[in-house]
Structures are given as structure tokens and as C-alpha cells.
Amino acid sequence: MKIGCPKEIKVHEYRVGLVPAGVRELVADGHQVFVQSQAGVGIGIENDAYVAAGATILPDARAVFDSAEMVVKVKEPQSVECAMLRQGQVLFTYLHLAADAAQAQGLVKSGCTAIAYETVAARDGSLPLLTPMSEVAGRMSIQVGATALQKAYGGFGVLLGGVPGVQPARVVILGGGVAGTNAAQMAVGMGADVTIVDKSLKRLRELDAQFGNTIRTAYSTMETIERLVIQADLVIGAVLVTGAAAPKLVTREMVARMEKGGRSGRR
Amino acid sequence: MKIGCPKEIKVHEYRVGLVPAGVRELVADGHQVFVQSQAGVGIGIENDAYVAAGATILPDARAVFDSAEMVVKVKEPQSVECAMLRQGQVLFTYLHLAADAAQAQGLVKSGCTAIAYETVAARDGSLPLLTPMSEVAGRMSIQVGATALQKAYGGFGVLLGGVPGVQPARVVILGGGVAGTNAAQMAVGMGADVTIVDKSLKRLRELDAQFGNTIRTAYSTMETIERLVIQADLVIGAVLVTGAAAPKLVTREMVARMEKGGRSGRR
Amino acid sequence: MKIGCPKEIKVHEYRVGLVPAGVRELVADGHQVFVQSQAGVGIGIENDAYVAAGATILPDARAVFDSAEMVVKVKEPQSVECAMLRQGQVLFTYLHLAADAAQAQGLVKSGCTAIAYETVAARDGSLPLLTPMSEVAGRMSIQVGATALQKAYGGFGVLLGGVPGVQPARVVILGGGVAGTNAAQMAVGMGADVTIVDKSLKRLRELDAQFGNTIRTAYSTMETIERLVIQADLVIGAVLVTGAAAPKLVTREMVARMEKGGRSGRR
Amino acid sequence: MKIGCPKEIKVHEYRVGLVPAGVRELVADGHQVFVQSQAGVGIGIENDAYVAAGATILPDARAVFDSAEMVVKVKEPQSVECAMLRQGQVLFTYLHLAADAAQAQGLVKSGCTAIAYETVAARDGSLPLLTPMSEVAGRMSIQVGATALQKAYGGFGVLLGGVPGVQPARVVILGGGVAGTNAAQMAVGMGADVTIVDKSLKRLRELDAQFGNTIRTAYSTMETIERLVIQADLVIGAVLVTGAAAPKLVTREMVARMEKGGRSGRR
Amino acid sequence: MKIGCPKEIKVHEYRVGLVPAGVRELVADGHQVFVQSQAGVGIGIENDAYVAAGATILPDARAVFDSAEMVVKVKEPQSVECAMLRQGQVLFTYLHLAADAAQAQGLVKSGCTAIAYETVAARDGSLPLLTPMSEVAGRMSIQVGATALQKAYGGFGVLLGGVPGVQPARVVILGGGVAGTNAAQMAVGMGADVTIVDKSLKRLRELDAQFGNTIRTAYSTMETIERLVIQADLVIGAVLVTGAAAPKLVTREMVARMEKGGRSGRR
Amino acid sequence: MKIGCPKEIKVHEYRVGLVPAGVRELVADGHQVFVQSQAGVGIGIENDAYVAAGATILPDARAVFDSAEMVVKVKEPQSVECAMLRQGQVLFTYLHLAADAAQAQGLVKSGCTAIAYETVAARDGSLPLLTPMSEVAGRMSIQVGATALQKAYGGFGVLLGGVPGVQPARVVILGGGVAGTNAAQMAVGMGADVTIVDKSLKRLRELDAQFGNTIRTAYSTMETIERLVIQADLVIGAVLVTGAAAPKLVTREMVARMEKGGRSGRR
């Protein structure tokens, strides 16, 4: 198959649909791979590396879209990209169509077959192309949260893991799935006081076996959530809502601001 | 040296000053050991085992005291034992003289040289013969405390380690020395939510390094102790007070009773 | 639905079928909940808490049984309760009918639909309402066992976890299911020398992965069990026998008594 | 003694020399404590809390300096504060005089006795008032470093702990003292690939015992440092240089910029 | 059923098809067991132990084959054993027929029903009789590899786990199944720097959860394998190839020899 | 200072007194370093690496000895080396003189100042140049022991770590110092059933804190050692006897042979 990988053009997107290691595997399996010049430069990959892996470098996106039977990307196609797609061509990328009518219409109009990474499901119901995103989001949520607790970033100046003799921050993670578990791993690793809330006792048991008494687990009821969230320094929302994106984080400071309409005030 | 080991006669004392392994070491070093018949029977050691180790079995305490240059016991001498001690003889046992004037006078009168296990100090100031007692007391305090939390024993029916989805008991340990650390080890092992309070930040750091985030450490101030003890399900007093004995434990139920003007009742 | 929760009347039963958090969830889902006055007082829950959660307090059991379409309890209905059940009503509680003909007849006669917690099965064959009981039973078996090994409770005076330089107690757990695994967690946490015996090598592998070399696993043969049980200080019977209740524990002392022709006496 | 605690006035300093728990201890020991109104407001402590702990609130810094025999602060005195100090008064705070001639002269001129937290030494040579700062600095260095590696903050977009299947960031910590060990604890906890470099083999052994094979230790030679730093994604400088402040961090991106005089370029 | 267990006759095979514990289970289930005299002597089991378990000892292999309806062995039947098998008899042992035409023909000719341990599959597709072999092979691969790295055995003199201050050996394990996971357990336990490569991200995630950051996981691509294998000190091949036997190990020294056609030469 | 590093000439010694990283440090400190050509070739270090580090390569040992004020080696000087030493020269290497009168006389005759690595003591009494050897010896003792237990090397065919369902080997380590602790680390890591015996309860407590319940500790008495050694599959002798070399290992098989009057044969 002829596979094309254009440079991403969405703002702040530095990633690329195929890295050289992936190109090499595809070429070894008999495919032809076309990569747009400088496609990987945002993450430090030069054209040479793609050539060494067996790709053909093409000068611009247009050339890549024209040559490819399947286009592999990261982000949803921008309108200028939709315009280059054609009947019979396959587009393989994240789409998140739910909130993006313009894109949906553009794809329909192009006549291409668009496969969204986030909807590819394995036989056991898991979402193999979404899971790595949840892992990254879960792990990052804690380091972003730790930063948000710093005074310099508008937080209460609470150090996530405390130090000996000083209580660590209380982190409450709502949802013990992929994102929640990865968040818990980071938060425990940094020494926080972590509670995971989930509606499945079975899942809480697995988490109990994995983390031992470095975390606490709580069965999800309105009462539990209310009590825990009010006491928490950092709340990670890691419940999978179909179509929603990364975990949300809320610090005590944000709650305080919301409650008081502006002023903070912590012990 | 001629070493004698009588059977303990204090109520509920089943231990014995020398076990056969100890006898064998002493005999190998050239000492003569006299053991009272049935001295070890309370912990399942028969006369034969002592004989095999090289001891001579004597029929009664009197014979042992008469034969020995040094008497090795467990508990402080009872008045009948004081009466058998003599000038020039060495007594090696726990004494806890502070609150026991009668015993002190008995010993003085006997003219013997009495060495109390609990006051033997190593060069670095540690108390090598008290440490094992503190280890046992610290470890036992948690299993006794877990039992005291059971409904059937007058507690609130809190399971020390909780189960997945249910919060474990909050255990507060006052003092991070030998007894406190051993108590923490048991409490953490059983899955409790453990906080250790100490006046030494240096010690809290060592505990933090040893236990990681399976415990929390708190610097001892009046405020900290008040806040923690009020929230605790089980409080272990493990501060070394010279002359005092084992760790104390207090359950939330006892506090509740005291608050309500009822009598606490349990030891 | 109208849901009723009477006060438990079986001797030594302090629990209650619904706690306020549960009431709140049911009310939020549109149900009406009737709770007998003082139903939760045995575990420290006052009527106010139920009212705050949305329940209606009724003065006695009769009023609760009369108002409810479904009665939620903890223990099997006593004869006076059976007499209050009626045709078309649902009873949801533990039943353990196998050994209780009188109760079975009472239920049949009442015409109610009785659902036993212990027989509710999930699709994968697990018993979600029995599992928490097995967790509690498994965890408690070790703290009860530790107490039973104390001299003061008729044991040999063996400290479950030993202390540095002294061997810990040997604990043999027959069955590596929910109860056995929870027992192992406690026993390992307290520092005992733990062996788990199971007929499933697959389960032994999972336990090996979970516990690493803090336990030993043994494949169940007559020979293995004989050898291990004879050497053990504490044996936990955690094999699921349909209809049987909590894990059984046997200490070395009980065996010794039985061997010597004495009666074992303790449960 | 009369002890005064003024509000900190240095830019971005929200901390306060005494919290209410400290005031309570001092008052219980018979001291009189004067706190400037709103001194703790930057970290959410209201005047009421100080009053409850036994302090007297004074309206401004001048009143506090005038009333106090000892002034307790956080940061070095600003020139306006130096002017309020007097002969015979004690100042207890961080000074960091080495690079601050103006402050040194101000203190000398005031005639006060100034004790710098950072120079208070325990008998064993450790610096008990500097250690907590090193703990905080070491722990924060990793969360700041993790943030610095994010693309949005100018980094290469490397996730500190990686995810399954993707290599974690390589963190090299120069110095295995208090700051370095605390940094290592955070970095290991977040799943990074951590190497600690130290000139003391004895210290490397202790770190090896504490961290097991979740870190690697390297003996400090020019060759080792060169090799490790070049391969690292994040370098933490945690060597105690007398008079220097917090650990330094350097990301690969910064090195790349330095090497290339401007442009970066990592995959 | 009449079950026979002859002595193994293949060179260097000391094991035996049935140990006394197994005999006892079979006898308890109503079977008759015939064991060849001295069958277990290679691993220290005397005839007496078999007799005590309920077996009948027969003087030679011929007698065992003649008496048995099912013959239980360890290794594939040697030609002299094939000749003793008969129509209707069951043979239960490892066969590994793929590369052994002579044996296959011998079995066919005998008319027996031969069941190969290595092909017995459970319902979930796992191979319960092959798994223990993979466990042993995986665990042994590391101890054999550690030995192969010793200078005295032709290696580069690299100590698998290093010592504090010195880098441990880099171990790359290709395949994260039963053998690979068991190899990783040993390698991590010995302090090596371990990377597991697998084609299944799901499996890498499970390994990440089990081992935390004591290992690194890498997704299997040609590029990854090339890079890792070249840097490795020890490579364990643990990919299940149907019909193939134990994990393969390759040390850096062997690679060096292969590359240079004879001479070695490491850092 | 002029420092010389000749090639080792003792049979089976491949190491070298200085590696290039060491040379670089010495040169940076202002010393001159002379290395014999090919001195590092046994462990893969070419002359070029030494030159790059600042050393001067000399053609033979004679030239190195003649140029150097201090000679740095690994093993004790052989007679031909003793003959090259001279008055006023310093020799820095392992000597182990106790059992080597010829060497002692050679050194005396040469008039050089010989400093033995193994006798260099730090202020706290530790032996910094012996410790790394003890670490290596302790770690290797277990991998050599694991090999010795293999059937192919004359052992009983016991796998050190067992597999799930099969008991691991019992390893008894006599002495909990540097070598013993490193041996324990390896043995625990490989899944063995490890007991450490020591005469110091203080040391046993430290080991208990470090290893938790992955090991057992036993106080050293004749009785304890007898009981443990008889049951052990592998015994590691790690008691520091001044002047003695590496830990000794004894497998059960060797004991069996000795008991049966056979010769033990293996080192």
C-alpha cells in the first residue's frame, strides 16, 4: 500500500504520524511510504532518518496526499487538509468529531474513509489507540497538578509529597481506569496522600492489590465524593466520558476561588 | 563461673532465664550451669533438653540459689527469692526497682550484686537488653490494639486494615523509637493508616526513608498531637519514659467513654 | 420502590442493612426509604443522619415491614421477622438456609421473594456480595490467630512476626482464594513465615507474582498438607466450601491438646 | 523572652517566621510572642489563629521590632528592617550574607546579634535548619524539571516517567546528599531512569541499599560525569557548595541551545 | 487404571515421571501404580518412599510397560522403549516429535496413544504442562547467563548486578511471556539493568505494573531490537516458537567473537 | 608524583591497577602516569584509551618500575616484580602477606614502602579498599552457588528460587557484614529462602529493617548454626576472618558426600 505522512499543521502540534522506526516496519512489510519534508523536525527527526528507514521524501503536503492510498496523521485534518483528501483514500488519525461539525462535513464531502484512532476497539472492548493517550494524560495530570499547587503558579504553595514531618498533599482521583491508575502511580511515587474513588469494587480490589497501602480506595457514592473532594488539595477527574479528552485537575485554590468569588484563604 | 537458673514464680510468668541454647554456649565457655527441675516447662522445654546442653538439674530453687555464683532470672526476685540471695552473689534479671521499695530493701539486705537488665547500657547509649522487650511490646501493641477495636472486645468494630473500598483504621504512634517503629511495622503491614509523631526531625527522616509513603510522619507539637489523637481510632504511646514499661494503647472507644463520663475499664 | 431497613435483632449483631450513604443513593435514584428508629445506633449512626440522607424514620420493625416493598437486612430473618414478611415482598439479606430448616419453612410460608446475598453471582461466576465477607474474614483470621497464639489466650506464646533474631510463627493458609489471599496479606504484613497451599498452579503463580518472596506457595497434595500443617504454628482453613462460613484457624497448641487426648475448647 | 514575628516584606515571599503551632509551644514554655497583624495571611493564616495560640497581635512591623528581644523571620532583613534592629536584640532568620555586603553592613551597624539559620550546625556537623530546605529543593527540582521537559515550557516533550513501551527520561543527579536523595526519591517515584553520582562510595552504598535497583549509582570521575551528562535528559546539580542555594537543573534542551548557539533539534 | 512409571534412560536425565506424593494421590483415587526399582534414585528417592505411598515396585522397565495401561515418563521414549509400547496403551510424556522422525515412526508402529505434555492446552489457550518448564527455563537462563559473563567461563568478567558505583550488566529479554517474565524476575533480583521487548503493548503494560521501574519495557520493532541488542551484555531469547525448546542466551562476548571472527575486545 | 601501572602477570589475573578514568583524575591533579603497553588488554582497554587520558605508554614492566615513584597494581608482586622494586619507592596493591613468607622477604629486601589495599582503614574502622571486594565476593557467591546446585555441576538439581508451587532452596548465610549482606541481596533477589546468622543483634535489626520479611535473621549460637546448616541447600560462609579471602560456599550435596565418606572435590 502507498502510505503518506504529512507534516502536522495544527497550532502547537509537534508530533508526527510516523517515526522512522514505524516507516522501517511498513517498508519491510512491502509498503511504500511517502513523508513530507521536515515532517518530523518538531521533535528533532531530520529527513535523513526517514530516508534511511526506506521512506521517500516529498516536498509538500499536496504531494503526500496525492501519492498516498492511506494518510497517517496525529490530529484531525484541518480544512486545508480535508480539501486534499479524495474518494477511496483512507485517513487514519484522531478525529474527535463529536464537537466539530465543520470537520465532519469536510470529511463526508471528501469521500474518504476516515478511521478515528479513538474509536478503534479491541475484541475485549478496550481501546488500544486511546490507552497510550490515557497513560500520558494520567501521568501528566499529576506533574501539571504539582506545578499548579506551587505558589508561583497561583496555588497554595503545597508541596505534593510533603517532606518528613510535614503532611503531603491530599490527592483524590475520581476513576480507577487507565488514566486514574497512571495518575495514582505518579502521585504515589511523589509521596502524596492518594485516594482513588471508583464505582467498581472489583477494580478497587485490583488497585488495592497493586498499590498495597500506599493508596486508599473508596467506593464511589455522592457522600464519599463530597467528603473527599472538600478535603483534597488536588482532584483528578479521570472518569472516561465518551468523546471527552484528558483528565481534569482541580486544586483547592481553584475551589476556594470559586467558593469565595475571588479571595483565597487556606490554613 | 557457677551459674544458676531457677524456675520463675511470679504469677503468669512462663519464661525462663536461660534456654538450652544459652546453656550450651555457657558450658562451651567453661562455666557450670545449674537449672531448677521443670524450669522451662512453661514454654515447653523439658529437663532433658537442658541436660543435653550440659546443665545439671537441681530439684528446687533453694538448691539452685545455693550452688550459683550468679543467678539468671527473668522477673524481679519475689520476697522468697530475695531471702535466698547472699553476700557476693550476682543476680542478673529485670528489676524495675523504682516503684518497688520492698524489693529494693530485700536486695540491699541480701548483700548480693544485682544487675538490672533494663539499665545495662552500650557505649552508644542504647539499652541492648531493653531493646528486645521494646520490639516485642511495639509489635504486640498493634495486635492487641486490633483486637481491642473488635466489637466483641468493646471496640467500635473497626477492622485495622479496612478492606478495598473501606477506609482502614487511623493509628497514631507517639514516639518513633524502638517500640514505635516496631508498632508502625505491624500497623503498616496490616494495612492501617499510620502516622508517627516524634520530637526529632532527624528520626522522622529516617522513618520516612524506611517506610516511604506507607506512613506519614508528623513533628510533635501540642497542636499536632491534639489534632491527630482526636481523629485516631487507635493511639499507641511509645515514648520512652525511664522506668515505665510497655507501650500504652488507647482506642477511640475508650476516649468516647471517657468523654461521656463513663469508665474506661480495659487496660 | 419502597425500601425498608429494620434494626437487626439477632444477638451480637450491631450492623445495619443500609448506611446513610446508601440511603442517599437510593433516594437520588427515586426510591423511598424507611428506616427503623435507632437501627444504626449499634455502630454509632443516629436517626438524624438517616433523615439528612432522605429516609423516613419509623418507630418499629412492624411499621418498616408494613411500608416496604423490599426489606434490606444483614442477618437471616428471625422467626418474629419471618412472621412480618408477606406475599410479593422482597427480602434481601444473608440467608445461609442450608442448615436452617425452620427459617426456610418460615420464608416459604411468608410467600415473599427472598434473595440471599451469598448466592448472588456475577457473570464471571464470582460472588460479589460474598467477597467483602471473605475479605473481612481472611483479614480477621490472622489477627484472631495472632491473639490465639498469645500465652494469655491459651497459646504457646509465639509472637506472629517474631523479632529480629527470633523466628516468626509459621502460618499455613489452605486455599489461595479471596479469604486466603487477604489472610496472607495480613500475615505477611505482620512478618510471619507464610505458606499458601492451593490446588491451582495458575493461582499459585498469580500469588507468586503478587507477593514475591515474602510468601512460599505449595501445590496441594496430601503429602504437602500433612508436612506443612504439622510444622505450622497457625493454620488458616480458607477453602471455599459452599454453604460454609468464615475461615477456620487452628493453632499448634490446639493440635498439641488434641494429640494429648485433651479437648481443644477454643473456637 | 519577648519574641517578635513581623510580616515578610521581600517580593514573592509568602511564608512567615512563626506559625500558630510554634507560637503555642513558645507560650507554653513561658515566652511572650508578638505577631504583626496579617503576618500569616500569605499562606492563609488569620490573626485569630495566632491569638488563639497565645500571641499578641501588633499593628505594624515597627511595633513588633520595638517589643521583641528576639525577632524571628524567614528571609534576610531588607534595609528598612535592618534600620529597626537594635543593640542587644537577637535576629533569627536566613541571612546568606556572602553575596550581600549591604545587608552585612546594615546588621553590623544595628548592633544586633544575628544568627543565620543556614549556619546553625548540630554536633555531628549536620545543618538541621538547612536540611528541610534541601529536602524541599530536592523534591521540587524534579517537578520543576518535569515541567521544563514539557514542549509547552520549551523542553523536548519528554515525559519524565515514559509510559509502558516508551523509554523514560534519563535523570542524572550530581550529589547524593539531602537534596540529591530527595530528588532521586521523586524521580524514581515518577518512573524516570535515575543515576546518582557521588564522590563517596560509602554514600553510594547507602543509596544502593535504600533504593535497590530502581536507581543506578556512579562513582564521580570526570569521565563518568561527562558520559552521563551528555546522555541525560535532565541533570540535577545537588552538590552542597557552601553559601550556594537550591539545586540547579539543566535539561537537554538547554544544553542543545548552548551547543548550537540557539536552535534545538532532538527527536 | 494401572499406571506405570519406568526409570528414565536418556543420557543426563535424572528426573522421574512420578514422585511419591503423586503416587499417593493416584492410589487414593483408586489407581494401581507400578514403579521400576530405583526409578527415583537420580534425585534421591528410594524405593521405600514409593512403597510407602502405595506403589508396587517392579524389577525392570519391561515389567512396568507390561503391567501398565498408562505409562508416565519425562522424556520422549527411546527406541528400546518404543519397542515395549503396545496397542491400546497410553503414553504420557514430553515428545517433541517435530524434529524426530524415528521416534514418530516408532510410536505409530507401536499402536499406542501418545499424549505429549507440551501440547496439552487449557481452555484459555495456555499450556499448563509447558508453563512450569518455561518458568524453570526462564529462571535458569539468568543464572546460566550470569555464569557465562564470568571471565573464567569465557565472558567479559561483568558481574550481573554490578556493585554500588559500578554499572550492572545490561540484560535484554526478547519476549515477555512466561519464560521472559521469569527471566526478568531473576535478573531484576540480581540487580541487572533489564529491558523487556515484546510485540504486545498490553503485555508491556502488565509487566510495567508488576515490575514498576525496576525494569524498562520496549515495544518490539527492528530498530528497537537492533539498538538494544548491540548495547546489551546479555540477551535472552524468550519468544515462544512452537516446537522450540528453552530460552537462548547470547553474551556480548559471543557477539564480539562472531563480529571479529575470533578476537574479543570490550571497553 | 610519578605513578606507574604495570601489566599484571599472575595467572588468570586480567584486571589492571588503573583504568583510563583513574589516569585522567591523577593527571588532572598534576601527577605523571606511566602505563605498560597492553596493560589493560585483558579487560578490553587499548593503549589509545590510556593515552587519551593523559598517560605515557612504556614498552615493558621494567620501564614502568624504573620511572615510577609509586607502583599501582592489583595482585601481590610476583618474585620478578619484587626484584624491580627499589628503596624509597611506594607499592600500592593487595598483598595478603600472612601466608606468603617469600613475598614478605622480597618486599623487605627491596626496601620499598608497600601499602596493602586490604589493610587501609578509615577512621570509623571500616576497610574502604576491601569493601568492594567483599561486595563482589558476596554477590558472586550466590551465582556460583546457584550453579553448584545444578545437576550438571554435581549438585542436587535444586533451582535456587524454586518456581511457584515448588519450594526454593534454603540458603544460610553465616555473617551479616558486607559480604553476607550482598550475598543476601542476590539470594533474595533470586527468590531463595534466606536466613542470615550473626552474633550482633544490632546488625540483625538493621538487616531486618533493610530486608523486611524477605529474609529471616537468626542469632548465632552453636545450636542455631547446627540446625540451620543441616537443613540448608546452600551455606555461605561470610564471616570476616582477618587475612582470609572470599566467602566460602557449601552445598547440601558436598555435605552429603562428606557424610558418606566420599571426597568433596569442588572448591
Side-chain angles (χ1 to χ4, degrees), chain B residues 226-267:
Chain B
E226 251 179 45
R227 179 171 48 77
L228 289 171
V229 166
I230 282 168
Q231 297 170 349
D233 294 296
L234 180 63
V235 177
I236 305 292
V239 175
L240 179 63
V241 179
T242 314
K248 301 286 173 281
L249 68 88
V250 184
T251 68
R252 209 167 169 177
E253 154 74 5
M254 296 177 201
V255 173
R257 276 196 196 144
M258 285 185 277
E259 278 171 355
K260 295 186 178 179
R263 264 197 73 253
S264 94
R266 298 194 70 258
R267 63 160 195 124

Side-chain angles (χ1 to χ4, degrees), chain A residues 22-245:
Chain A
V23 169
R24 188 171 161 191
E25 297 287 322
L26 291 170
V27 169
D29 286 350
H31 303 288
Q32 254 185 294
V33 181
F34 302 97
V35 176
Q36 181 177 349
S37 181
Q38 303 295 313
V41 84
I43 50 170
I45 308 174
E46 306 290 345
N47 286 352
D48 290 358
Y50 284 105
V51 171
T56 303
I57 301 293
L58 294 180
D60 53 30
R62 166 63 67 193
V64 171
F65 276 78
D66 283 357
S67 310
E69 290 160 354
M70 178 165 75
V71 173
V72 176
K73 279 175 50 56
V74 177
K75 284 283 181 180
E76 70 278 5
Q78 306 301 298
S79 57
V80 62
E81 292 174 319
C82 277
M84 290 188 279
L85 289 163
R86 65 172 184 274
Q87 181 82 27
Q89 200 172 33
V90 175
L91 172 67
F92 198 35
T93 193
Y94 287 108
L95 292 181
H96 294 290
L97 284 174
D100 193 351
Q103 188 206 152
Q105 287 156 0
L107 288 173
V108 168
K109 203 173 141 194
S110 76
C112 80
T113 299
I115 303 169
Y117 291 159
E118 72 270 22
T119 59
V120 174
R123 250 174 225 176
D124 62 0
S126 67
L127 302 166
L129 299 184
L130 196 59
T131 295
M133 293 302 107
S134 302
E135 290 174 331
V136 169
R139 292 185 180 208
M140 280 207 64
S141 72
I142 295 299
Q143 76 187 43
V144 171
T147 302
L149 288 170
Q150 290 177 221
K151 199 82 193 177
Y153 288 86
F156 274 121
V158 176
L159 183 59
L160 201 76
V163 289
V166 174
Q167 302 280 8
R170 271 160 298 192
V171 176
V172 171
I173 300 172
L174 303 173
V178 176
T181 305
N182 277 273
Q185 230 171 302
M186 287 303 106
V188 164
M190 292 177 78
D193 177 348
V194 180
T195 304
I196 306 183
V197 181
D198 203 290
K199 283 205 98 67
S200 158
L201 261 182
K202 184 154 171 285
R203 183 61 193 145
L204 292 181
R205 265 172 218 128
E206 292 165 4
L207 291 166
D208 185 76
Q210 182 179 342
F211 288 100
N213 54 359
T214 61
I215 60 162
R216 265 157 295 165
T217 55
Y219 182 68
S220 177
T221 65
M222 284 178 285
E223 196 138 317
T224 304
I225 292 177
E226 252 179 44
R227 179 172 48 77
L228 290 172
V229 166
I230 282 168
Q231 295 171 349
D233 292 297
L234 181 63
V235 177
I236 305 292
V239 175
L240 180 62
V241 179
T242 315

